Amino acid sequence: MQKLIPPYLFLISLSLMAGASYACFIRDGALVLNPWGTIAFVAGLVIAVLAKKQFRKIQTTVQTFDTPDRLVTSGLFRHSRNPMYLGHLIALAGAAVATQCVFSAIIVLCFFGACRFWYIAHEERVMLAEFGDAYQQYCAQTRRWI
């Protein structure tokens, strides 16, 4: 299951949402994008990209299942321990709002569950093993999401 990395799950979720939206379009006969959802979608992507760039800048791994070599606590990571996941989640929620398809909300919830209980749970165990007290202190100061 380590091959299903978060960006792939994001793209799969987005594809499923596109299919669900198309089905809603066929049923309802109209597809009007909600501008607030579109703004949230773009904002979420910007958050995820900026967080990834921060990892690249300090030359640490972005890969979920690799062992981290640095504890990142600055920039976006001062406000959220998981800004990449948060950005992807905001983007998916924005897409759901933009398309106004109720089935998309279910996909957003599934993505959230996979992030929280699969990816983040794994990363938190690894981070604790690698960084110990420094990671515990970071967790005490910074929320998991926002």
Side-chain angles (χ1 to χ4, degrees), residues 31-127:
L31 178 63
V32 178
L33 292 180
N34 178 305
W36 294 110
T38 305
I39 291 167
F41 178 79
V42 172
L45 289 181
V46 168
I47 291 168
V49 167
L50 289 176
K52 183 177 180 179
K53 281 186 175 188
Q54 188 173 354
F55 267 38
R56 296 279 190 220
K57 183 178 179 181
I58 65 167
Q59 299 176 337
T60 191
T61 184
V62 177
Q63 299 301 318
T64 300
F65 299 104
D66 288 353
T67 302
D69 50 1
R70 288 191 172 87
L71 177 61
V72 182
T73 61
S74 61
L76 291 173
F77 293 87
R78 269 185 321 176
H79 308 287
S80 170
R81 295 194 316 254
N82 300 288
M84 282 181 254
Y85 295 124
L86 178 62
H88 286 134
L89 187 64
I90 290 170
L92 287 176
V97 170
T99 59
Q100 302 174 46
C101 180
V102 70
F103 300 112
S104 294
I106 295 167
I107 296 166
V108 173
L109 291 174
C110 290
F111 181 84
F112 170 79
C115 287
R116 171 60 187 94
F117 299 107
W118 183 17
Y119 297 128
I120 293 173
H122 167 75
E123 289 179 3
E124 287 178 344
R125 287 189 300 272
V126 171
M127 298 290 283

Side-chain angles (χ1 to χ4, degrees), residues 128-141:
L128 185 59
E130 284 295 309
F131 302 110
D133 290 339
Y135 182 68
Q136 283 184 321
Q137 183 179 3
Y138 174 59
C139 289
Q141 295 172 346

